[in-house]
Amino acid sequence: MEAAMSVTPGAVTLILANPSPDSAAEVPGIVVQVVDLKPIGNRFTFMASDGKSKVKAMLPTHFVPEVRSGNLQNLGLIRVLDYTCNTIPNQSDKALIITKCEVVSQALESEIKNEVNKEEKKPAILLNPKEEHVVSSKPTNAPPPAPFVLKPKQELKSASQIVNEQRGNAAPAARLAITRRVHPLISLNPYQGNWVIKVRVTSKGNLRTYKNARGEGCVFNVELTDEDGTQIQATMFNDAAKKFYPMFDLGKVYYISKGSLRIANKQFKTVQNDYEMTLNDNAVVEEAEGEAFIPQIQYTFAKIDQLGPYVNGRELVGKTTRASSSVRCFCSYSLDVVP
């Protein structure tokens, strides 16, 4: 198989060894095969294969047109240009979230297997006894071979060093664009650090005061939605609540970093997400001026006879009602028990 139509040997190992690159410039352009491509909700999942190993992978919603058009196909090859790995809850495995890729080849005739083994069996990398004899039988008066001199290590620049130089030479506004690598909300988990998200404020609560055994304080929360339509609830307490309450405006888009995640409390969560976010006063919130992406509206529907579990909950439940033979209206309800 030609090199252009094959996978990168050991690609899965390379990905798992660097599960969250600091920037897209540090991703070496790994080629994997798409195996068992199938839809899950409004996204597509597949197994990324290097011919020997596989890892579960997910394509965010902006790749859906590529799949629907037939450009990105099952058994095809893609070059991964940017990604992050997400820990699967209650499992030791990781899920590969591909944030940027390009199609190398459409569907091949079959799944590639044992490509790594074939590479390892090449005889060119072995020194056989005959070659050793030839080397040892050279005349002693022959001039020694020219020494192989390695360049000093500091002269070899890594991708991160090049990016850092670009940051230093760029203007302040351009420097922010270079350093900002946006992560989709679906890729975040409590064990991941150094992430940046770009989200729209789709709901903003009131600044509320509370009093408990530990004292008094204030709190408020917002619901954030990214361009894939994934939502998460972010909560701020005390100094952080006072700092960010006037900064967050309903409907505006922001870059957010240095927050923390934890398992969502089902009693208080208002969106479909296993995690919830907390922003303290060290979090970074910047308005993304000029950004106009529109998050997808997601509805959670339930039949009337299945509303029991939602009673006294905070999660909104959508219900469809037929207004006429051709028009449907969508209504949202927060269910409370009335004594």
Side-chain angles (χ1 to χ4, degrees):
M1 183 176 296
E2 298 178 2
M5 298 290 287
S6 186
V7 294
T8 301
V12 173
T13 300
L14 292 173
I15 290 171
L16 297 180
N18 187 16
S20 185
D22 292 334
S23 68
E26 294 185 0
V27 179
I30 297 169
V31 177
V32 297
Q33 185 176 31
V34 177
V35 177
D36 193 23
L37 179 67
K38 58 186 177 182
I40 298 293
N42 60 344
R43 300 177 176 85
F44 282 87
T45 65
F46 66 96
M47 299 300 294
S49 172
D50 62 12
K52 184 177 181 181
S53 302
K54 296 180 182 179
V55 62
K56 184 176 181 180
M58 178 173 291
L59 294 169
T61 55
H62 61 269
F63 287 104
V64 171
E66 291 290 310
V67 180
R68 300 291 188 197
S69 67
N71 187 34
L72 198 163
Q73 299 178 350
N74 188 48
L75 297 182
L77 304 180
I78 61 172
R79 180 174 290 106
V80 180
L81 301 176
D82 199 8
Y83 68 89
T84 186
C85 288
N86 194 5
T87 301
I88 301 176
N90 302 321
Q91 297 184 29
S92 58
D93 297 332
K94 290 182 178 293
L96 172 64
I97 312 297
I98 297 177
T99 54
K100 185 178 181 181
C101 73
E102 62 182 14
V103 176
V104 175
S105 169
Q106 295 184 343
L108 304 180
E109 294 182 357
S110 61
E111 180 181 342
I112 300 173
K113 294 184 178 181
N114 301 322
E115 286 292 321
V116 175
N117 290 340
K118 293 179 181 178
E119 293 293 330
E120 291 175 351
K121 292 179 181 178
K122 286 185 177 181
I125 63 172
L126 301 177
L127 183 65
N128 57 41
K130 183 177 179 180
E131 291 172 332
E132 292 176 353
H133 174 73
V134 171
V135 172
S136 61
S137 63
K138 286 185 178 180
T140 55
N141 58 353
F148 181 74
V149 180
L150 290 176
K151 292 182 178 181
K153 185 176 180 180
Q154 59 269 22
E155 293 183 11
L156 301 176
K157 295 181 180 180
S158 65
S160 60
Q161 287 175 319
I162 295 173
V163 171
N164 288 333
E165 289 181 2
Q166 292 174 344
R167 293 172 183 170
N169 296 330
R175 195 176 304 146
L176 287 175
I178 293 173
T179 57
R180 182 170 287 131
R181 175 177 181 260
V182 175
H183 292 70
L185 284 177
I186 194 173
S187 71
L188 302 186
N189 62 75
Y191 313 102
Q192 182 181 359
N194 299 324
W195 47 258
V196 177
I197 57 175
K198 184 175 72 174
V199 289
R200 185 185 296 277
V201 177
T202 48
S203 178
K204 178 181 178 180
N206 295 322
L207 185 64
R208 311 185 305 275
T209 58
Y210 65 87
K211 183 177 182 180
N212 55 31
R214 292 179 291 182
E216 300 180 358
C218 58
V219 61
F220 98 100
N221 55 59
V222 291
E223 292 176 10
L224 308 172
T225 307
D226 69 3
E227 58 187 345
D228 289 333
T230 305
Q231 294 183 302
I232 195 168
Q233 178 176 299
T235 304
M236 288 136 280
F237 294 92
N238 303 325
D239 291 342
K242 296 175 183 177
K243 176 181 178 180
F244 293 120
Y245 184 79
M247 293 180 62
F248 279 120
D249 288 331
L250 185 63
K252 288 189 176 181
V253 180
Y254 297 87
Y255 290 106
I256 301 176
S257 60
K258 297 185 178 179
S260 60
L261 276 78
R262 63 180 181 181
I263 301 296
N265 187 332
K266 294 183 180 181
Q267 182 180 356
F268 299 107
K269 76 171 186 174
T270 60
V271 298
Q272 287 287 340
N273 199 314
D274 292 333
Y275 302 116
E276 59 186 7
M277 183 180 298
T278 300
L279 301 177
N280 58 30
D281 54 357
N282 293 323
V284 177
V285 176
E286 301 177 29
E287 183 179 348
E289 298 182 2
E291 295 287 350
F293 79 88
I294 302 175
Q296 299 179 7
I297 300 175
Q298 295 184 337
Y299 296 96
T300 301
F301 297 110
K303 295 182 179 179
I304 294 294
D305 59 356
Q306 297 175 349
L307 292 178
Y310 296 96
V311 173
N312 289 329
R314 297 169 60 90
E315 186 176 338
L316 295 179
V317 184
K319 171 182 174 294
T320 60
T321 58
R322 185 174 294 276
S324 67
S325 60
S326 60
V327 179
R328 287 187 178 182
C329 59
F330 295 89
C331 307
S332 294
Y333 301 91
S334 181
L335 302 179
D336 298 310
V337 173
V338 179

